[in-house]
């Protein structure tokens, strides 16, 4: 598939929020118009004419950043959420509705059907009928997206379909929970594969995407009242694209983009990647097209926008850029050569088809540049007058960041997005963090990283100076469980006003644990029991200070949550209520960390706790066998490095290595990558040895011994240096001396 990337418009209001893009239905012309809202609180509707964008109308400033743009189902009326207020506009720009809701949260989800309005904030979804309260739903966890469909039947009101942070898709009929569907990651995007015919008995085809990068199709059967898995939208394991780490899904929708008669799936991801998948209904989706725009995707829709001849993908990015992915004009090899057309689904720049269109576009751009220069001079003069009496301290650039645990790599990914190019980023942490690597989102270059020798107050000090003009930066970290604190990130944009935003990111004690659906069976579980005069909210807050993926507040009288260590694969179950909490885990180090943190939190609140522990000796060989998988790999790597030079001498003397065993030939063929990996081995071995030390110390501390002798720890270190699993297990089973 060959597509051109065509820039349509760049909003003047700076950055934009998620889901603030909409393609209007057809009007009198064969081209469709596009609506985009930005953080300046302005809704802009534009259309394309002879290759240039022309603004049809702009709304007056709404007073708050636009947080959601939605079309009324089946009609061409625009509804805008900004703050806690909903505005309604006709396609001509006439305001016909201004409705102040009773929400205290910013409207981030909005669906309008006839006189019904579904407006959602972070946790509360409110239903309005003719602008009057008709019900509400309190979500167990944060609401990330919202759709509505006739799930309960064709003659019933639409049901709300909610994407929740706690790895569930929930369907509500009015205020009642109708379906609850678990997935393998926090659900961040919802969409429909195709529009459902009213009265149809076929299942509703619901698309979903997760924060972990997975996308799938769920089927809601309105006849049998069940919700089941359709398929996962991913390539086969044999294809190399499966091994590529994919960013979180921001937008997902269905459209017949390829013209095959079957709906395709369009996906926009957090790292700027746009994907088109075919043959989804067959159960074996095929990735037909993929391109990276190097900015976080904020909105995605489909329509006939640039010429009216092709169905196009319309995309908005964080900085306010609106682009179209349009099928290539293949008439004539000269046009293809002039455009630099490349096979294989890479981004292209569309050639101008006529000198008149080019001249008009240049004239429009010159007029826009002149207006911007005049605006800049006015702002500069105003700033100079203001600076005579006061010091400017407002941050001119809105920085967006995400700190996400990547479960497949057991590390954190810090992503920084800026509307302006980033000059440098400074990192400082009061807790030990292993900086793995970093990359610029908009170039192939890697930032220049300068590490400084930290001290006990700041173990991590690093500066990353960008080489290009990126608006996006990604940094990977690995934390050490049991050590917690705060990491500070100073972002310096390339602006005339040198003010840098400060981002504070908490690092939690059990930072490498992620929430899962259930606890596996047949695990040797240690138990930690806590009783005291604490409330459910207090113990919920204490646990939330230890782990990620826990809702801000409890939803039941007794809560239960299960977590898994992304590094070792151990599990922990927390079951707690007012005055009582029971934690079960197969890792004694996890239980010791929980005990220390919960005791500290209770002491700060002057609450007395009664704590009992039950350590299962069978859990220790279980954990050591999990560590053995990684330790064996590191020791095998050291053996391969020692073989590189002797094997190279054999290759020089004999001229060939075909007579060697396959594993030895593998060492010769991959000698450079093996050496590069070995250079990082000291950090990895130190991390693994630290896990074993913590496990050993935790065992005896939980059994009532305040400390472990220095001689025993030195003996443990010697065993790890001459690693043998049986010897290590035997050492753990010996009584302490």
């Amino acid at each position: 598939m060959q597509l051109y990337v065509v820039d349509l418009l760049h909003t003047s209001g700076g950055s934009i929020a998620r889901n603030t893009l909409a393609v209007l239905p057809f009007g009198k012309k064969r081209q469709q118009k596009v609506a985009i809202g930005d953080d300046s609180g302005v809704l802009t509707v534009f259309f394309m004419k002879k290759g240039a964008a022309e603004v049809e109308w702009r709304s007056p400033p709404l007073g708050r950043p636009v947080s959601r743009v939605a079309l009324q189902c089946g009609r061409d009326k625009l509804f805008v959420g900004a703050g806690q207020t909903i505005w309604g506009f006709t396609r001509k720009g006439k305001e016909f509705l201004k409705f102040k809701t009773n929400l205290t949260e910013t409207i981030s989800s909005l669906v309008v059907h006839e006189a019904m309005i579904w407006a959602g904030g972070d946790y509360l979804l409110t239903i309005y009928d003719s602008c009057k309260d008709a019900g509400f739903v309190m979500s167990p966890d944060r609401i990330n997206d919202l759709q509505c469909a006739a799930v309960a039947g064709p003659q019933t009101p639409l049901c709300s379909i909610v994407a929740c942070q706690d790895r569930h898709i929930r369907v509500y009929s009015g205020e009642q929970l109708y379906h609850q569907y678990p997935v393998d990651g926090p659900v961040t995007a919802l969409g429909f594969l195709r529009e459902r015919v009213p009265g149809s008995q076929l299942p509703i085809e619901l698309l979903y995407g997760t924060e972990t990068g997975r996308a799938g199709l769920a089927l809601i059967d309105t006849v049998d009242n069940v919700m089941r898995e359709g398929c996962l939208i991913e390539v086969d394991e044999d294809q190399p694209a499966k091994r590529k780490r994919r960013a979180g899904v921001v937008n997902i929708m269905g459209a017949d983009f390829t013209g095959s008669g079957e709906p395709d799936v369009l996906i926009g991801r957090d790292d700027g990647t746009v994907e088109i998948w075919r043959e989804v209904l067959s159960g074996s989706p095929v990735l037909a097209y993929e391109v990276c725009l190097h900015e976080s995707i904020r909105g995605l829709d489909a329509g006939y926008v640039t010429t009216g001849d092709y169905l196009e993908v319309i995309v908005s990015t964080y900085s306010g850029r609106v682009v179209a992915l349009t099928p290539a004009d293949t008439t004539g090899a000269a046009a293809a050569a002039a455009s630099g057309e490349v096979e294989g689904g890479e981004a292209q720049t569309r050639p101008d088809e006529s000198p008149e269109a080019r001249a008009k576009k240049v004239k429009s751009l010159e007029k826009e540049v002149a207006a911007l220069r005049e605006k800049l001079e006015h702002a500069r003069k105003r700033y100079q007058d203001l600076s005579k009496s006061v010091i400017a301290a407002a941050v001119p650039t809105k920085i967006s960041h995400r700190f996400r645990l990547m479960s497949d790599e057991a590390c954190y990914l810090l992503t920084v997005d800026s509307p302006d190019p980033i000059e440098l980023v400074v990192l400082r942490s009061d807790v030990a963090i292993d900086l793995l690597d970093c990359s610029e989102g908009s170039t192939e270059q890697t930032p220049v990283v300068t590490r400084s020798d930290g001290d006990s107050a700041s173990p991590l000090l690093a500066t990353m100076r960008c080489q290009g003009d990126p608006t996006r930066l990604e940094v990977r970290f690995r934390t050490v469980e049991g050590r917690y604190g705060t990491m500070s990130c100073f972002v310096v944009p390339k602006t005339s006003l040198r003010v840098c935003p400060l981002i504070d990111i908490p690092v939690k004690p059990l930072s490498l644990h992620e929430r899962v659906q259930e606890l596996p069976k047949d695990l040797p579980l240690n138990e930690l029991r806590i009783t005291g005069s604490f409330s459910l909210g207090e113990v919920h807050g204490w646990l939330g200070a230890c782990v990620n993926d826990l809702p801000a507040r409890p939803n039941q009288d007794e809560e239960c949550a299960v977590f898994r260590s992304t590094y070792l694969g151990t599990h922990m179950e927390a079951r707690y209520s007012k005055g009582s909490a029971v934690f079960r885990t197969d890792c004694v180090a996890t239980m010791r960390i929980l005990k220390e943190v919960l005791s500290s939190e209770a002491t700060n609140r002057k609450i007395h706790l009664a704590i009992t522990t039950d350590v299962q000796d069978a859990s220790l060989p279980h954990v050591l066998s999990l560590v053995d998988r990684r330790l064996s790999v590191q020791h095998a790597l050291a053996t391969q490095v020692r073989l590189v030079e002797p094997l190279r001498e054999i290759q020089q003397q004999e001229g060939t290595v075909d007579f060697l065993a396959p594993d030895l030939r593998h060492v010769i063929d991959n000698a450079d990558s093996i050496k590069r990996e070995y250079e990082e081995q000291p950090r990895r071995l130190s991390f693994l040895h630290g896990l074993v030390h913590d496990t050993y110390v935790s065992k005896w501390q939980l059994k009532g011994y305040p400390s472990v002798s220095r001689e025993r720890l030195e003996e443990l270190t010697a065993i790890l240096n001459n690693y043998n699993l049986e010897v290590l297990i035997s050492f753990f089973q010996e009584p302490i001396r």
Side-chain angles (χ1 to χ4, degrees):
M1 181 183 293
Q2 301 168 358
L3 295 179
Y4 293 109
V5 176
V6 181
D7 281 292
L8 304 182
L9 184 77
H10 201 293
T11 61
S12 58
S15 57
I16 61 176
R18 280 187 55 194
N19 297 313
T20 53
L21 171 77
V23 176
L24 277 69
F26 283 103
K28 296 180 180 179
K29 299 181 180 180
R30 65 175 185 173
Q31 291 175 252
Q32 294 176 264
K33 300 173 183 178
V34 180
I36 180 74
D38 56 42
D39 283 353
S40 66
V42 175
L43 178 68
T44 303
V45 175
F46 69 93
F47 62 95
M48 300 299 293
K49 185 176 181 180
K50 295 183 179 180
E54 292 195 6
V55 176
E56 182 173 9
W57 58 270
R58 282 191 174 97
S59 71
L62 304 181
R64 296 286 297 274
V66 175
S67 55
R68 188 77 179 214
V69 174
L71 280 168
Q72 186 177 15
C73 297
R75 299 190 181 181
D76 58 358
K77 293 182 179 180
L78 284 165
F79 288 81
V80 180
Q84 292 79 38
T85 305
I86 299 174
W87 277 266
F89 298 93
T90 65
R91 68 180 301 129
K92 295 296 183 181
K94 181 181 178 181
E95 179 185 317
F96 66 88
L97 174 68
K98 183 179 180 181
F99 172 45
K100 177 70 174 179
T101 67
N102 55 3
L103 290 170
T104 58
E105 304 168 338
T106 298
I107 296 173
S108 57
S109 303
L110 184 64
V111 175
V112 182
H113 180 265
E114 300 295 341
M116 300 291 294
I117 298 177
W118 290 261
D122 290 335
Y123 294 91
L124 184 65
L125 171 64
T126 307
I127 306 171
Y128 300 97
D129 187 355
S130 301
C131 297
K132 296 180 180 179
D133 283 346
F136 72 92
V137 171
M138 180 64 71
S139 175
D141 208 338
R142 189 170 68 248
I143 299 173
N144 292 326
D145 203 359
L146 171 69
Q147 294 289 345
C148 290
V151 176
Q155 304 301 324
T156 59
L158 298 186
C159 295
S160 50
I161 307 174
V162 182
C164 295
Q165 183 68 19
D166 64 350
R167 302 168 183 255
H168 281 86
I169 300 173
R170 292 182 172 88
V171 181
Y172 292 92
S173 177
E175 298 179 340
Q176 302 299 318
L177 181 63
Y178 200 77
H179 289 302
Q180 183 169 272
Y181 182 74
V183 295
D184 64 351
V187 190
T188 53
L190 294 175
F192 295 108
L193 183 62
R194 52 188 168 185
E195 187 176 352
R196 193 162 180 260
V197 178
S200 173
Q201 300 297 316
L202 295 175
I204 298 173
E205 298 160 331
L206 179 69
L207 298 168
Y208 66 88
T210 68
E211 190 179 82
T212 57
R214 302 291 292 273
L217 172 67
L219 302 177
I220 306 177
D221 195 325
T222 58
V223 178
D224 297 332
N225 288 333
V226 295
M227 190 171 179
R228 63 181 186 273
E229 179 71 39
C231 69
L232 291 177
I233 303 175
E234 58 186 14
V235 295
D236 295 333
E237 295 184 0
D238 296 336
Q239 300 185 30
K242 174 73 178 290
R243 295 190 290 271
K244 176 183 176 182
R245 173 173 56 85
R246 298 190 179 275
V249 178
V250 179
N251 299 96
I252 187 168
M253 64 173 295
D256 185 11
F257 188 80
T258 58
S260 62
E262 293 291 335
D264 306 312
V265 176
L266 314 179
I267 298 177
R269 297 187 181 272
D270 184 60
D271 63 348
T273 301
V274 180
E275 301 169 354
I276 301 176
W277 294 79
R278 298 167 42 205
E279 302 179 17
V280 176
L281 292 176
S282 67
S284 300
V286 177
L287 181 60
Y289 178 80
E290 181 180 15
V291 66
C292 185
L293 301 179
H294 307 299
E295 287 187 66
S296 178
I297 303 298
R298 281 294 184 259
L300 183 144
D301 208 339
Y304 297 82
V305 175
T306 58
T307 64
D309 297 329
Y310 309 107
L311 180 64
E312 300 152 335
V313 181
I314 311 301
V315 182
S316 62
T317 65
Y318 179 75
S319 65
R321 180 186 175 201
V322 183
V323 302
L325 305 181
T326 179
D329 186 1
T330 57
T331 58
S339 65
E341 190 172 310
V342 180
E343 298 285 343
E346 295 187 2
Q348 312 296 328
T349 302
R350 186 174 184 177
D352 290 326
E353 297 180 355
S354 65
E356 293 81 5
R358 185 186 302 111
K360 185 171 183 178
K361 190 171 184 179
V362 170
K363 186 177 180 180
S364 175
L365 290 174
E366 289 176 347
K367 184 178 179 180
E368 186 176 352
V369 169
L372 289 174
R373 283 177 178 170
E374 183 179 353
K375 186 177 180 181
L376 175 62
E377 289 299 326
H378 177 72
R380 183 176 294 167
K381 183 178 178 181
R382 183 182 176 187
Y383 169 69
Q384 290 174 352
D385 295 339
L386 186 65
S387 298
K388 293 177 181 179
S389 56
V390 296
I391 299 175
V395 178
T397 302
K398 181 180 178 181
I399 301 296
S400 172
H401 78 282
R402 285 162 299 283
F403 193 60
R404 180 171 67 90
L405 176 61
M406 301 166 58
S407 57
D408 54 341
E409 299 181 31
C411 67
Y412 276 90
L413 178 67
L414 171 63
T415 304
V416 178
D417 283 297
S418 170
D420 301 306
I422 300 173
E423 183 172 349
L424 60 90
V425 174
V426 180
L427 296 173
R428 179 261 174 194
S429 175
D430 57 10
V431 60
I433 296 178
D434 191 8
L435 177 60
L436 300 179
D437 61 37
C438 56
S439 62
E440 297 177 9
S442 60
T443 68
E444 298 298 329
Q445 297 175 329
T446 301
V448 178
V449 181
T450 304
R451 303 171 190 255
S452 303
D453 294 332
D455 52 22
S456 58
S458 301
L460 172 65
L461 290 172
T463 301
M464 288 161 287
R465 188 174 297 274
C466 300
Q467 301 185 62
D469 289 326
T471 58
R472 178 184 178 87
L473 190 71
E474 293 184 347
V475 189
R476 292 197 309 149
F477 301 92
R478 178 165 290 136
T479 59
V480 180
E481 291 201 328
R483 303 175 186 176
Y484 53 97
T486 303
M487 182 177 69
S488 300
C489 177
F490 301 85
V491 183
V492 182
K494 289 184 179 179
T495 56
S496 57
L497 183 60
R498 292 297 183 178
V499 178
C500 72
L502 168 62
I503 302 170
D504 284 330
I505 302 169
V507 179
K508 298 186 178 182
L510 297 178
S511 53
L512 294 181
H513 277 67
E514 67 172 356
R515 192 167 181 178
V516 294
Q517 301 294 343
E518 59 184 10
L519 185 71
K521 298 180 180 179
D522 302 327
L523 288 179
L525 296 175
N526 309 288
E527 190 172 276
L528 171 67
R529 287 184 172 272
I530 298 177
T531 57
S533 57
F534 51 81
S535 66
L536 174 62
E538 286 175 328
V539 68
H540 183 83
W542 299 344
L543 182 60
C546 294
V547 294
N548 299 307
D549 297 335
L550 204 65
R553 49 184 174 267
N555 300 287
Q556 302 175 13
D557 293 336
E558 183 181 58
E559 290 285 345
C560 180
V562 180
F563 299 88
R564 182 182 70 90
S565 170
T566 57
Y567 192 78
L568 283 183
T570 57
H571 289 76
M572 179 193 73
E573 180 192 61
R575 191 178 297 273
Y576 52 94
S577 59
K578 180 181 178 180
S580 175
V582 178
F583 302 93
R584 299 193 301 160
T585 175
D586 53 344
C587 180
V588 291
T590 300
M591 191 164 71
R592 178 182 62 85
I593 294 170
L594 271 173
K595 179 183 176 182
E596 291 177 354
V597 175
L598 296 180
S599 299
S600 175
E601 293 287 342
T603 301
N604 293 336
R605 292 177 175 267
K606 298 181 180 180
I607 297 176
H608 176 71
L609 298 181
I611 302 176
T612 59
T613 59
D614 181 15
V615 178
Q616 298 291 325
D617 291 334
S619 66
L620 300 173
H622 166 71
V623 171
L624 294 178
S625 64
L626 296 176
V627 179
D628 175 67
R629 302 173 188 173
R630 296 181 178 271
L631 275 175
S632 299
V633 171
Q634 296 304 315
H635 286 284
L637 181 64
T639 302
Q640 290 178 340
V641 170
R642 288 194 295 268
L643 291 173
V644 168
E645 293 304 325
L647 290 175
R648 281 180 172 173
E649 291 183 7
I650 294 175
Q651 187 179 30
Q652 292 176 356
Q653 293 175 2
E654 302 295 334
T656 180
V657 291
D658 294 340
F659 58 89
L660 294 177
D663 55 340
L664 296 179
R665 292 201 303 270
H666 172 77
V667 173
I668 286 292
D669 295 338
N670 301 275
D672 294 336
S673 61
I674 290 174
K675 283 190 171 183
R676 283 196 302 268
E677 191 174 356
Y678 182 73
E679 291 176 357
E680 298 183 358
Q681 190 192 35
R683 289 189 301 173
R684 296 176 180 176
L685 275 179
S686 176
F687 188 82
L688 290 168
H689 289 179
L691 288 177
V692 177
H693 274 264
D694 289 345
T695 302
Y696 185 74
V697 172
S698 299
K699 169 191 173 180
W700 294 112
Q701 285 186 354
L702 291 173
K703 287 194 172 186
Y705 292 85
S707 62
V708 179
S709 66
R710 182 178 178 181
E711 291 76 10
R712 292 292 289 176
L713 294 179
E714 290 177 350
E715 188 176 349
L716 176 58
T717 302
I719 293 175
L720 290 173
N721 291 334
N722 300 279
Y723 178 70
N724 182 278
L725 178 60
E726 288 75 14
V727 175
L728 183 62
I729 293 176
S730 177
F731 177 82
F732 267 72
Q733 293 174 343
E734 293 177 0
I736 192 170
R737 297 194 295 270

